[in-house]
Amino acid sequence: MNITSETMKDMMRNCSLCPRNCQVDRTMSANGCCGQSIHLTVARAALHFWEEPCISGCCGSGAVFFAGCSLQCVFCQNHAIAHAKSHHSSPIHTISIRRLAQIFLELQEQGAANINLVTAGHFLPQICLALEESKRQGLTIPIVYNSSGYEKASSLHLLEGLIDIYLPDLKYHSSKLSSQYSNAPDYFETACCAIEEMFRQVGIPVLDSETGLMKKGVIVRHLLLPGETGDSKRILRYLHNTYGNHIYISIMNQYTPLAHVAKFPELDRQVSMEEYERVITFAEKIGIENGFIQVGNTVGESFIPDFDGTGL
């Protein structure tokens, strides 16, 4: 579909971009599930060095952090911006589509390995317009779509030909967990359909033989939650049975219990080393080869960027 300013506005007048299908008129308000209006809201645009090695490399990923999120996980590590309301929170800034296209080019000039669109699903039409404009002006580095996984496959069709690398989460297998922590009982089924569409678009991974940087492909992230190793194993088994080693799987232990999870006692602790080792051992046992694991102390708010308007 060819996106224009008018088709973008049409989509926003009765918004059904995400699986929530809230059908809010975002040209008039920001009362939808994502909390954002038609205006692009961004918290940070800068080189980011804490992604997987094939994404960040040694030069950094050009990460653009968008405000708002339709999933709204209770344990969100980027809580300050994911739960921000358009025009009502200091960490976020409103920018134009043209300015976003310029930011992409500025990050490329800074030596970014890629452009990394973090939680951009509720701005898909605007993203398409900005990418098309920046590509016309000389943007050549890969584009990464960094997502919660809770996406509509039909909406992802808008990105075909524009995205090189998909970096979705697969957070839950259990509908009980996804209901309790994200109010999304359909999370697993929806995210699986989204990942299938992502894989259809970009196919098997391609890495640069000299730099090790990914040029195209899918990396599915799974963040362990405390006490839920069984759910993690079911997710890994599903991914490996479905895609084998045609995708990468990033198994993450960096869950950080921030202050807002205190009312969920089971989430108010770190993932233990024993829990993480059990999941890694399982991944090796079932034959996962294209994977990433985290070592050392990855827990802490120091791994959460400062959402201070850098680069905007």
Side-chain angles (χ1 to χ4, degrees):
M1 179 178 181
N2 185 31
I3 300 293
T4 66
S5 295
E6 285 308 309
T7 56
M8 175 195 72
K9 291 175 184 176
D10 289 341
M11 291 179 185
M12 294 286 150
R13 286 191 184 99
N14 186 31
C15 189
S16 297
L17 286 172
C18 85
R20 302 292 191 188
N21 291 315
C22 60
Q23 298 183 316
V24 163
D25 185 349
R26 289 173 60 191
T27 67
M28 300 298 293
S29 72
N31 294 324
C33 293
C34 64
Q36 305 303 300
S37 70
I38 194 171
H39 302 291
L40 276 167
T41 46
V42 185
R44 179 182 176 86
L47 298 179
H48 189 63
F49 295 89
W50 297 280
E51 308 286 35
E52 287 74 9
C54 65
I55 300 295
S56 288
C58 60
C59 49
S61 177
V64 183
F65 290 86
F66 294 88
C69 177
S70 60
L71 192 53
Q72 302 283 318
C73 303
V74 298
F75 54 83
C76 181
Q77 310 290 276
N78 292 342
H79 184 272
I81 61 169
H83 292 255
K85 297 296 183 182
S86 183
H87 308 302
H88 293 289
S89 184
S90 57
I92 65 175
H93 299 258
T94 301
I95 63 172
S96 67
I97 293 171
R98 177 170 294 180
R99 175 59 191 145
L100 182 60
Q102 292 172 341
I103 287 171
F104 296 159
L105 293 166
E106 288 167 8
L107 289 168
Q108 178 172 261
E109 290 172 5
Q110 292 170 32
N114 43 61
I115 299 299
N116 188 347
L117 306 170
V118 185
T119 317
H122 46 293
F123 292 124
L124 280 182
Q126 296 93 322
I127 296 296
C128 292
L129 289 169
L131 285 174
E132 288 167 354
E133 181 172 340
S134 60
K135 286 173 182 284
R136 284 194 295 270
Q137 295 182 35
L139 184 69
T140 59
I141 56 178
I143 310 300
V144 180
Y145 187 75
N146 188 333
S147 160
S148 71
Y150 196 57
E151 307 268 2
K152 288 173 70 172
S154 57
S155 295
L156 292 172
H157 290 168
L158 299 173
L159 296 171
E160 187 158 10
L162 294 173
I163 302 299
D164 303 287
I165 301 164
Y166 278 104
L167 187 58
D169 295 337
L170 190 53
K171 295 177 183 288
Y172 317 99
H173 189 282
S174 162
S175 61
K176 179 180 178 182
L177 293 177
S178 62
S179 297
Q180 185 173 3
Y181 299 141
S182 298
N183 191 29
D186 62 336
Y187 176 86
F188 180 72
E189 295 79 9
T190 301
C192 288
C193 288
I195 293 169
E196 182 180 357
E197 170 60 20
M198 295 172 182
F199 182 74
R200 184 195 68 79
Q201 288 186 23
V202 299
I204 62 174
V206 176
L207 276 67
D208 187 285
S209 59
E210 295 183 2
T211 65
L213 290 170
M214 184 171 279
K215 298 168 69 174
K216 74 168 194 170
V218 176
I219 304 174
V220 179
R221 287 173 164 173
H222 175 63
L223 175 69
L224 271 70
L225 294 177
E228 298 299 342
T229 57
D231 203 61
S232 295
K233 290 177 181 180
R234 285 187 285 273
I235 285 170
L236 296 184
R237 187 179 292 280
Y238 165 77
L239 288 171
H240 190 59
N241 285 348
T242 306
Y243 297 102
N245 288 305
H246 294 312
I247 63 169
Y248 278 79
I249 302 173
S250 183
I251 307 170
M252 307 169 73
N253 70 347
Q254 69 186 50
Y255 173 78
T256 302
L258 302 177
H260 55 270
V261 303
K263 59 184 178 180
F264 298 92
E266 71 278 14
L267 293 178
D268 201 16
R269 69 168 177 88
Q270 299 176 10
V271 171
S272 72
M273 184 61 70
E274 180 186 4
E275 287 174 313
Y276 191 55
E277 287 177 352
R278 287 206 305 268
V279 173
I280 297 305
T281 299
F282 177 81
E284 293 171 346
K285 181 179 179 180
I286 65 174
I288 293 175
E289 297 176 0
N290 287 346
F292 296 99
I293 61 173
Q294 293 182 313
V295 296
N297 183 18
T298 61
V299 177
E301 295 183 47
S302 61
F303 279 81
I304 301 171
D306 290 328
F307 298 121
D308 54 6
T310 296
L312 304 180

